Amino acid sequence: MSDQFPAEDLEDLYETAPCGYVSVSPDGRIVRANRTLSDWLGWKPGELLGKPLNDILAFGGRIAVETHLAPLLRMQGHVHEIALDLLTAGGEKIPTIANAAEKRDTGGGHLFTRLTLFKAVDRRAYERSLLDAKARAERESRAHGEAALAREQFIAVLGHDLRNPVAALAAGIRLLRQREQISDRGRSILSEMEKSAARASNLIDEVLDLARGSLGGGLIVERNADAPLTPVLEQVIAEMRVVAPEHAIEARLDIDEPLHCDRGRIGQLASNLLANAVTHGAVDQPIRFEAASDGEHFVLSVANAGEPIPEQARGRLFQPFFRGDARPSRNGLGLGLFIASEIAKAHGGSLDVSSTAEETRFTFTMPSAVPSAD
Amino acid sequence: MEVSAEAVLRRNNVHVSGSGTRTIMFAHGFGCDQSMWEPVARTFDHDFRVVLFDYVGHGGSDLNAYDAERYSSLTGYARDVVEIGRALGLRSAIFVGHSVSAMIGAIASLEAPEMFSDLVMVGPSPRYIDDEGYRGGFSRDQIDELLQFLADNHLGWSAAMAPAIMGNPDRPELGERLENSFCRTDPEIARDFARVTFLSDNRGDLAAIQARTLILQCSSDIIAPMEVGEYVHANVPDSVFRLLRATGHCPNLSAPEEVAAAIREFV
């Protein structure tokens, strides 16, 4: 075997290289071009000399050379990977990728600009298809966003409009119970109807809270220390004892009043946690409701006995529409814990869960100090 | 909505240098940023207060401040110029605008007549597309081709304009700026700006210009051909027309000495 390589012919390399070479004077005229390029363009070798570079560029490229390429070359001496369309003698376009560099003399004077051009027909087609796909994805994502927004708005409006008839039903039931002669059996039916109306009203509130949250309004929380929280929580517990008489609820309240919070919302949080305990807790053991505060924190927790929450379900508990088990729930849409955790966040606090064979406990913690105004 | 002076100066990456009683403000055109004025601006530092800035979406400007609606016409860009002028308390200053910035400066001078007493238009064009009785040099098809070209270079531009651009040993004076960015343009914004620029028609504004105006016309400029420069001269009341020996569309880079001398002679 021979170690001798045939000598490379540099003149031939320039002329027939698998890329186009063109050198341009500072005033934009072609001073040299290789044969590869003149072949691509359909000119005879030599015919390109003296022509303005613009003559072999498609229109977009001409503007780009003036507005982008020339300034960049002056400032940094080179530009890489610009997509340039060439124009053949017959007026057809050839997509290329160009690198360019200024050749300067020792004093920094601009002698000429060298361009190296690679045909990029397939690459350009691929890039265009990428751009098309991107534009399409953006359009679809916008359309999805709009559809989702319309849905949320629909839900918000529907929820809002449902409130009034449900309130009218509840008022009617109350009137019947207070003012009319009704049999014992009728009373027990009215009592069931009242619970149903209350549940419907809660569901509507939850849906409205969710829609408001997704519409960007977030949960509105109005915090003040104008009144004590304890009576609000006592009311929530009393209502739950009426709704779920089969469960014993042991309550212990020890709150350093007044607490700076949105009492209505904290009441809603407590109500949602109790409703959750009633739904999932074992009936033969009491639900323990505790709320206490010291100088630093307010802690509210609700614990129940029963099946522990599976490990893999815990991460999703606070997501909207999550329901732990498939059995038909008495209680709704799976929004209660989500809304409770939103209320916790809006108070600068958190809602956590622990679940063992002995008990499942949800604990809401928030700072009890008045947040400094900012 | 009122924007604070500080916010404006940050938004448009405003740089003030030099010492002098008069202020000269340089505005870049389509496709570049304030660095393209560097060679000319530095010759004014010793006797002028020099202001350089980037339009939103270009160079070191705050990309988050881009508002497609505000910048859907040259008037939005002119509002930025006026806000910068107010933030710096400019009165009777000189505005030097390259390419599309010539018209942006003209609009700004109409909005705030006390701000600029002198306009220097480098390669101005009040309308790029031919119209009845008017030759702007471009057809509508060509503009569409240009916009397609910018889309094709979506990938290329991002890379070419990236901050990783290397310094240039034989032009060390540019070194520091080179490290950061050069004519870096957000590709989406560049396309919007191209559309706004090349579809603009500000012929109606020319006659109202009160400022003394110098028109610097390049030889063989395909973006702003000779007859367009002459048209501007014929329609701006108090204007001087000057033909540069420099060729192409960016004489501030290809012949900074000639451009600086012409501006100096005028002011």
Side-chain angles (χ1 to χ4, degrees), chain A residues 75-311:
Chain A
M75 288 189 281
Q76 69 193 27
H78 66 266
V79 179
H80 289 166
E81 290 187 63
I82 300 293
L84 272 187
D85 284 351
L86 303 183
L87 212 54
T88 67
E92 275 164 40
K93 282 188 208 167
I94 302 176
T96 68
I97 297 294
N99 286 355
E102 275 193 8
K103 175 67 181 173
R104 292 168 180 168
D105 63 24
T106 48
H110 182 191
L111 294 175
F112 39 78
T113 300
R114 290 167 172 164
L115 286 108
T116 303
L117 304 150
F118 296 88
K119 266 196 190 180
V121 182
D122 291 345
R123 174 179 156 154
R124 190 70 57 79
Y126 177 63
E127 285 177 355
R128 282 203 179 157
S129 70
L130 275 181
L131 285 174
D132 286 348
K134 178 167 175 278
R136 201 164 49 240
E138 282 166 358
R139 264 198 314 277
E140 280 168 9
S141 145
R142 231 180 355 257
H144 282 157
E146 282 163 11
L149 187 68
R151 218 158 35 231
E152 302 288 358
Q153 281 166 342
F154 172 74
I155 291 170
V157 170
L158 178 69
H160 191 261
D161 289 355
L162 274 173
R163 263 183 170 168
N164 290 335
V166 171
L169 281 175
I173 294 163
R174 248 190 334 271
L175 274 176
L176 282 175
R177 221 170 42 173
Q178 288 163 4
R179 306 263 172 90
E180 305 295 324
Q181 291 285 339
I182 293 171
S183 68
D184 283 352
R185 178 164 158 71
R187 280 196 177 277
S188 113
I189 291 173
L190 276 183
S191 161
E192 288 305 313
M193 284 173 74
E194 193 162 36
K195 284 181 205 164
S196 299
R199 216 163 65 226
S201 165
N202 279 341
L203 288 175
I204 291 168
D205 285 348
E206 288 184 353
V207 164
L208 276 177
D209 280 341
L210 176 80
R212 273 194 214 108
S214 344
L215 287 173
L219 272 185
I220 300 152
V221 172
E222 285 170 23
R223 303 175 69 170
N224 61 55
D226 296 348
L229 176 65
T230 306
V232 176
L233 296 180
E234 283 169 345
Q235 170 76 18
V236 167
I237 295 162
E239 278 171 10
M240 197 53 71
R241 284 183 176 136
V242 172
V243 174
E246 69 279 16
H247 285 269
I249 301 176
E250 291 175 1
R252 218 183 47 185
L253 304 181
D254 180 15
I255 300 170
D256 203 1
E257 298 280 10
L259 184 70
H260 187 85
C261 66
D262 184 326
R263 288 176 299 282
R265 287 299 192 184
I266 298 295
Q268 187 184 5
L269 175 146
S271 170
N272 288 0
L273 293 184
L274 274 177
N276 185 67
V278 163
T279 307
H280 300 285
V283 186
D284 56 346
Q285 301 218 35
I287 292 166
R288 287 179 303 285
F289 184 103
E290 288 161 26
S293 68
D294 55 27
E296 282 182 36
H297 292 100
F298 169 68
V299 180
L300 185 158
S301 70
V302 177
N304 61 267
E307 286 284 302
I309 303 166
E311 189 75 42

Side-chain angles (χ1 to χ4, degrees), chain B residues 119-247:
Chain B
L119 286 181
V120 179
M121 301 180 161
V122 183
S125 175
R127 180 183 161 108
Y128 294 89
I129 301 178
D130 296 341
D131 193 18
E132 216 177 305
Y134 173 83
R135 233 186 88 69
F138 294 79
S139 69
R140 178 65 213 230
D141 286 351
Q142 287 176 317
I143 299 298
D144 291 340
E145 196 180 325
L146 171 65
L147 297 176
Q148 177 63 52
F149 172 87
L150 289 171
D152 284 345
N153 271 290
H154 197 288
L155 309 169
W157 286 137
S158 325
M161 308 303 155
I165 288 166
M166 302 293 285
N168 197 334
D170 46 46
R171 301 200 73 190
E173 76 277 9
L174 297 173
E176 201 181 327
R177 289 189 161 235
L178 266 167
E179 302 291 290
N180 304 320
S181 78
F182 242 168
C183 295
R184 196 153 41 123
T185 321
D186 179 272
E188 307 278 350
I189 297 175
R191 259 154 74 194
D192 285 359
F193 195 32
R195 195 172 293 115
V196 170
T197 297
F198 290 103
L199 299 180
S200 65
D201 185 354
N202 296 94
R203 291 174 295 174
D205 292 325
L206 298 179
I209 297 174
Q210 299 293 310
R212 290 177 66 230
T213 303
L214 170 66
I215 296 147
L216 292 182
Q217 175 68 46
C218 284
S219 310
S220 67
D221 179 353
I222 60 161
I223 311 258
M226 186 81 75
E227 53 192 304
V228 173
E230 286 166 349
Y231 177 93
V232 175
H233 174 46
N235 287 276
V236 177
D238 186 6
S239 65
V240 180
F241 181 88
R242 180 150 174 187
L243 181 63
L244 298 174
R245 285 191 312 279
T247 55

